């Protein structure tokens, strides 16, 4: 999936989502508790995101509009602001994973409880405002947003504080949206002309989009957009529009928004013609409004559709994967080239399009293999086996199936493994699996009839023509058996012992947990000795200081040294630094590894492409024994 920055540069239309607050209140949530929904009712929020995706939205806003510390205090609420925003972003990403199509998540940043630097009203200083916004930005980045929307703004000083807090930490795209009344100005008297002029002079450059939301119904909002359009065109700033479903009124003790989906949608072509690149909805709009907008704009250029698998694709894939090109097992590559494998997680739902698109992207960039997680972190995902098969049907690339003993008894796991072999899967990474207690189904029962060592023995037995009980299986499988190792384990003697047992059981290659310093692997090898089988080194390039802190403190098996953390602490966008560190790590360890196992941050493969290109340029001509 392309980045949001690239998508916004394309001459295409992106449909935004609709209201979250009014929709959640309609679902029975207390208005005073709306900022805490990501922590208290995550499933309700995720289902709302899914409704908008199914209606046609491809830009989702996090439920964080009033979640800054200033607003929470004014509402009498308390919460960990960083955690609240991280969870909101994760819930939106979860919904996107379930939906399976390309979509982008933008972190919603609303006004503070007071204006900023006002000459006539009690207000916050610029420094105080930036301090309120910093944890907001930190949480959204930790949750993996693709960009930010600074929305429902009424004054320029608040915009300046929010944008400064964002740009201190990130180079991701920013949308700034103002709320204009039907009279044509914000609550502090800012006109559309003044707003767009100020955005053209924003320190650090204008935002990627400027627009209008809330404040009024579709017709007054269209008027505000038209007033911004000439100067926006001069400044080459695309516009965005998120109208309310009309002016609200109290009907039978309930807030009622009168504009129907059909009426709101009739304004969409005019908004598009005025220069709006993103069109969605605000207060009172529902999934029906978004669906009507999407249908109205369908005759205009739309986002490219992800390639859909069908019978014709299967035939084409089979033609590509003829007898000469069909994958035969990853060990055929060792000794011929430096192997590059990329980890992809299956989707959270039934739609595999996004993971298939990612697989094609990394294969075209030069990846030799794609390894597929088996519901990692004990969270429910599409079957890893089904995902591996779908990828193999479309691409002549090796797939490495992660296979855990957590969810299957001894009989079931043997049946699935035999089925995998019948479907052409040859590479299996034998894992015990994360316990259910850390995932979505803490009450689920783990099986663990055997551990990863026992699973290696089962696979090796299949290769010898018999099952776990010694019964003949009518032939010999040809599994290439991989195992994991954690070079940074606290109990290094235990980790060494387990790897020895895995190798004795029949393992043919090793994949390590991600490491960040050559000393981490050297320390393990000093204790273990030379490895008798190929090693794929785990590498997960860091992208930010917040991500590094999260991985170091909350993800089992990953250790990031203080020296590396210090290098990221004051870097605005750490993507390039993370890639440089990964390249240097591979340079340092090239003599003891036979390949690399790349793990993308937030399931985004595009940042890995420069690293794959570097590997292919430097290592592809080098043979490994």
């Amino acid at each position: 999936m392309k980045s949001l920055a690239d998508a916004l540069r394309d001459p295409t239309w992106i449909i935004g989502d609709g209201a979250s607050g009014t929709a959640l209140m309609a679902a029975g949530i207390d208005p005073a508790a709306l900022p805490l929904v990501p922590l208290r009712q995550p499933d309700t929020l995720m289902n709302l995101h899914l409704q908008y995706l199914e209606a046609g939205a491809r830009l989702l806003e996090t439920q964080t509009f009033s979640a800054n510390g200033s607003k929470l205090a004014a509402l009498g609420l308390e919460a960990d602001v960083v955690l609240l925003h991280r969870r909101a972003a994760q819930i939106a990403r979860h919904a996107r994973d379930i939906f399976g199509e390309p979509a982008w998540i933008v972190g919603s940043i609303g006004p503070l409880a007071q204006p900023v630097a006002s000459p006539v009203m009690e207000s916050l200083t610029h420094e105080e405002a930036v301090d309120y916004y910093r944890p907001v930005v930190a949480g959204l980045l930790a949750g993996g947003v693709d960009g930010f929307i600074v929305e429902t703004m009424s004054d320029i000083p608040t915009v300046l504080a929010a944008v400064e807090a964002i740009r201190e930490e990130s180079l991701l795209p920013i949308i700034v949206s103002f709320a204009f009344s039907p009279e044509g100005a914000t609550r502090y008297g800012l006109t559309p002309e003044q707003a767009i002029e100020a955005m053209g002079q924003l320190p650090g450059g204008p935002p990627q989009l400027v627009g209008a939301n809330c404040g009024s119904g579709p017709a007054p909002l269209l008027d505000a957009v038209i007033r911004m359009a000439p100067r926006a065109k001069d400044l080459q700033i695309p516009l965005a529009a998120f109208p309310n479903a009309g002016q609200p009124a109290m009907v039978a003790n309930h807030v009622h928004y009168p504009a129907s989906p059909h009426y709101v949608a009739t304004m969409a072509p005019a908004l598009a013609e005025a220069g709006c690149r993103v069109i969605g909805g605000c207060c009172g709009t529902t999934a029906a409004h978004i669906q009507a907008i999407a249908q109205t704009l369908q005759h205009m250029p739309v986002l490219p559709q992800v390639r859909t698998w069908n019978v014709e694709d299967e035939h084409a894939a089979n033609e590509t994967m003829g007898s000469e090109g069909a994958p035969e097992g990853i060990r055929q590559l060792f000794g011929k080239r430096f192997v590059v494998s990329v980890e992809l997680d299956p989707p959270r739902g039934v739609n595999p399009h996004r993971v298939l698109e990612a697989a094609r992207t990394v294969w075209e960039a030069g990846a030799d293999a794609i390894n597929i997680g088996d519901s990692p972190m004990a969270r429910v995902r599409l079957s890893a086996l089904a995902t591996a098969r779908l990828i193999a049907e479309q691409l002549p690339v090796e797939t490495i199936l992660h296979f855990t003993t957590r969810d299957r008894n001894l009989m079931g796991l043997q049946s699935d493994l035999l089925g995998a072999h019948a479907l052409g899967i040859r590479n299996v990474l034998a894992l015990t699996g994360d316990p259910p207690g850390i995932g979505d189904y803490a009450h689920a029962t783990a099986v663990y009839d055997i551990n990863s060592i026992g699973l290696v023995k089962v696979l090796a037995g299949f290769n010898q023509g018999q099952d776990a009980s010694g019964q003949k299986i009518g032939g010999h499988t040809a599994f290439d058996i991989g195992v994991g190792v954690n070079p940074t384990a606290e109990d290094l003697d235990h980790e060494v012992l387990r790897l020895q047992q895995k190798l004795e059981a029949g393992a043919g290659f090793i994949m390590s947990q991600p490491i960040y310093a050559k000393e981490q692997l050297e320390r393990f090898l000093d204790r273990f000795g030379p490895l008798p089988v190929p090693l794929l080194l785990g590498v997960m390039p860091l992208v930010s200081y917040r991500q590094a802190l999260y991985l170091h403190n909350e993800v089992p098996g990953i250790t990031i040294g203080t020296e590396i953390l210090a290098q990221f602490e004051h870097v605005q966008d750490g993507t390039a630094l993370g890639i440089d560190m990964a390249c240097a790590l591979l340079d340092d360890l090239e003599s003891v590894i036979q390949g690399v196992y790349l793990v993308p941050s937030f399931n985004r493969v595009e940042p890995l492409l420069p690293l794959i290109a570097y590997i292919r340029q430097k290592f592809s001509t080098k043979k490994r024994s």
Side-chain angles (χ1 to χ4, degrees), residues 333-612:
L333 299 178
F334 293 126
K336 296 180 181 178
R337 61 189 294 164
F338 189 86
V339 175
V340 177
S341 182
V342 178
E343 177 170 309
L344 297 179
D345 288 339
R348 293 275 185 103
V350 298
N351 194 328
H353 297 171
R354 192 162 171 260
V355 71
L356 294 177
E357 180 191 31
R360 181 170 293 278
T361 296
V362 297
W363 171 69
E364 290 175 346
D368 302 293
I370 295 168
N371 42 290
I372 303 103
D374 187 5
S375 291
M377 301 300 289
R379 294 188 172 96
V380 175
R381 290 182 179 271
L382 185 70
S383 161
L385 171 55
T387 304
R389 174 60 183 172
L390 288 171
I391 291 172
E393 285 172 340
Q394 291 208 9
L395 300 171
V397 65
E398 294 287 342
T399 56
I400 303 174
L401 174 67
H402 292 205
F403 197 93
T404 72
T405 65
R406 174 190 59 222
D407 309 315
R408 310 164 178 89
N409 63 20
L410 184 56
M411 181 177 69
L413 68 84
Q414 290 185 95
S415 295
D416 284 350
L417 287 171
L418 290 174
H421 195 272
L423 290 173
I425 306 301
R426 294 293 178 265
N427 309 301
V428 176
L429 182 65
L431 302 168
T432 302
D434 300 311
I438 71 171
D440 298 330
Y441 289 83
H443 59 280
T445 302
V447 182
Y448 295 132
D449 276 357
I450 55 176
N451 59 15
S452 58
I453 299 168
L455 181 55
V456 174
K457 293 178 180 178
V458 170
L459 289 161
F462 283 165
N463 284 349
Q464 295 167 7
Q466 62 185 28
D467 66 13
S469 65
Q471 300 296 316
K472 299 293 184 183
I473 60 173
H476 297 259
T477 59
F479 285 117
D480 283 352
I481 307 168
V483 294
V485 68
N486 179 12
T488 66
E490 290 187 14
D491 189 345
L492 206 56
D493 289 334
H494 180 67
E495 191 71 11
V496 166
L497 175 61
R498 283 181 57 81
L499 181 57
Q500 290 171 339
Q501 292 172 333
K502 293 173 184 178
L503 294 170
E504 291 168 0
F509 66 95
I510 303 168
M511 302 178 73
S512 82
Q513 284 273 30
I515 67 169
Y516 292 92
K518 66 175 182 175
E519 293 79 13
Q520 292 175 329
L521 181 62
E522 290 172 345
R523 174 172 167 262
F524 180 84
L525 294 179
D526 287 344
R527 190 75 57 90
F528 186 91
L531 296 175
V533 299
L535 169 65
L536 295 180
L537 181 74
V539 174
M540 183 179 185
L542 298 172
V543 298
S544 71
Y545 178 61
R546 298 287 177 180
Q547 179 216 22
L549 282 178
Y550 176 77
L551 292 174
H552 180 71
N553 290 287
E554 299 194 42
V555 178
I558 294 183
T559 301
I560 300 172
T562 56
E563 182 179 338
I564 292 175
L565 289 172
Q567 292 184 62
F568 278 88
E569 185 170 3
H570 302 294
V571 175
Q572 186 179 55
D573 183 344
T575 303
L577 176 59
I579 294 297
D580 288 344
M581 284 185 171
C583 292
L585 181 65
L586 294 176
D587 289 344
D588 289 339
L589 295 174
E590 65 170 298
S591 63
V592 293
I593 61 176
Q594 288 69 47
V596 65
Y597 154 45
L598 300 177
V599 183
S601 296
F602 306 117
N603 286 322
R604 297 174 184 150
V605 298
E606 286 77 13
L608 294 179
L609 302 186
L611 179 54
I612 296 175

Side-chain angles (χ1 to χ4, degrees), residues 335-340 365-366 368 612-624:
K336 296 180 181 178
R337 61 189 294 164
F338 189 86
V339 175
V340 177
D368 302 293
I612 296 175
Y614 174 81
I615 294 169
R616 281 290 159 250
Q617 180 180 9
K618 178 164 185 178
F619 295 107
S620 287
T621 59
K622 296 184 179 182
K623 292 189 176 181
R624 293 286 186 267

